[in-house]
Amino acid sequence: SKTKAEGWYRPDFDDSTWDSPFRAPEKIYSERIELFDNPKKNIGPHEYAWWRINVPPGAVLANLPGISDQSVAWSGGERLTIQNSRIELPAKAQRIYIRHDPRAYSDHLTSPVEFQCKGKSPGKTGSWYDYGLHRFTGFVDYETTFQLDKAYPEANLDLGNVLYMAEVWINGENAGSRLWRPFRYNISGFLREGENSIRIRVGNLVHNEMSLINDVEESIHFWGKTGIPLFNDLDAGLFGPVKITIPCIPEPV
């Protein structure tokens, strides 16, 4: 349907009048693909393809299938070595820039880019888009410490905006999980005087990884689509603000 049916999202919505979907014959969808204006891929003798890729936090290695050893890569002004389509990344790398000669091996990536990450990396709250994770499905841990002048008997934690699920540990103890709003936790009894640690594990949805299928099969091969997707439902992360509130308990007179 080209129009939105009122109440289509309700479990009791009646779609009995809708036509059943069917797969078009190969001849039809082959002809449809040819209607799209594919990008020009004819590269002259002195022209190159350039790519700029955001590096996820903690990444130590990038694998770019289809990149030859004759391509050139940089990060932070430092030239990197490409060996067997793999690039070892310097510490705290944020972006890599690649000059690729399609005449040397292949005119496009043959598989999605892969990053290997380990250890910890400084980060901040906000969208995973900032870390190049718009096609990532999984979990990211946020960790920090805070100081208290005494062990308060009552306290609450509010994570603010989270996409899409969050689990919390206070001083190594599990304080609960939430799959939807509000992302509020009763952390009474978990706090202690002095330094306290907090770990927040945020997870997103499987459709980020599944959308990569369309990105590879359609965008890269046919339309040359680049950059961050415009679909807000692929966004994820811990947006905050993260707050710990302690009720005011009057001192005894």
Side-chain angles (χ1 to χ4, degrees):
S1 174
K2 295 183 179 180
T3 58
K4 182 175 67 173
E6 188 68 29
W8 62 269
Y9 52 85
R10 296 176 56 87
D12 58 350
F13 178 75
D14 182 11
D15 62 358
S16 59
T17 61
W18 288 11
D19 294 334
S20 299
F22 65 93
R23 181 168 181 170
E26 181 178 357
K27 182 177 184 300
I28 292 179
Y29 61 74
S30 296
E31 292 175 350
R32 290 292 177 181
I33 289 178
E34 293 177 358
L35 295 177
F36 287 95
D37 184 17
N38 298 333
K40 297 179 180 179
K41 295 186 178 181
N42 296 324
I43 296 180
H46 302 291
E47 296 177 335
Y48 298 90
W50 285 83
W51 290 316
R52 181 183 67 183
I53 304 173
N54 289 340
V55 177
V60 296
L61 186 73
N63 182 27
L64 294 88
I67 297 296
S68 73
D69 295 352
Q70 300 179 37
S71 299
V72 184
W74 293 268
S75 180
E78 177 184 352
R79 182 164 175 169
L80 309 178
T81 301
I82 303 175
Q83 188 172 8
N84 297 327
S85 300
R86 297 157 70 90
I87 304 174
E88 292 188 7
L89 301 173
K92 299 182 180 180
Q94 296 182 336
R95 294 181 182 87
I96 52 177
Y97 299 85
I98 299 168
R99 189 188 70 187
H100 177 59
D101 186 351
R103 297 171 294 274
Y105 184 61
S106 171
D107 65 350
H108 62 273
L109 293 174
T110 57
S111 296
V113 177
E114 296 178 351
F115 287 98
Q116 292 184 15
C117 306
K118 68 177 183 179
K120 300 180 179 180
S121 177
K124 60 182 180 180
T125 57
S127 172
W128 288 0
Y129 282 180
D130 297 338
Y131 301 124
L133 298 179
H134 49 281
R135 298 301 191 193
F136 169 75
T137 289
F139 298 92
V140 171
D141 285 2
Y142 300 78
E143 298 181 1
T144 190
T145 59
F146 58 95
Q147 298 285 335
L148 290 177
D149 57 353
K150 63 180 180 180
Y152 291 91
E154 296 183 33
N156 295 286
L157 170 68
D158 189 339
L159 301 183
N161 185 21
V162 176
L163 296 177
Y164 282 85
M165 59 199 76
E167 189 171 7
V168 172
W169 290 264
I170 304 291
N171 295 323
E173 297 186 56
N174 191 297
S177 305
R178 298 288 184 274
L179 296 177
W180 49 76
R181 299 177 181 177
F183 290 93
R184 301 191 184 112
Y185 305 75
N186 185 338
I187 56 174
S188 301
F190 290 94
L191 302 179
R192 60 194 180 201
E193 182 180 351
E195 184 176 271
N196 291 261
S197 66
I198 179 172
R199 176 158 59 101
I200 304 168
R201 174 168 293 173
V202 173
N204 63 340
L205 305 178
V206 71
H207 69 177
N208 288 66
E209 182 174 346
M210 296 301 295
S211 67
L212 183 61
I213 297 174
N214 285 336
D215 187 49
V216 172
E217 293 296 331
E218 299 174 358
S219 302
I220 293 179
H221 290 176
F222 294 117
W223 300 288
K225 179 181 175 182
T226 60
I228 293 175
L230 299 178
F231 308 108
N232 292 332
D233 59 347
L234 293 181
D235 207 356
L238 171 62
F239 295 84
V242 178
K243 298 179 181 179
I244 294 178
T245 56
I246 299 173
C248 180
I249 303 175
E251 295 290 338
V253 179

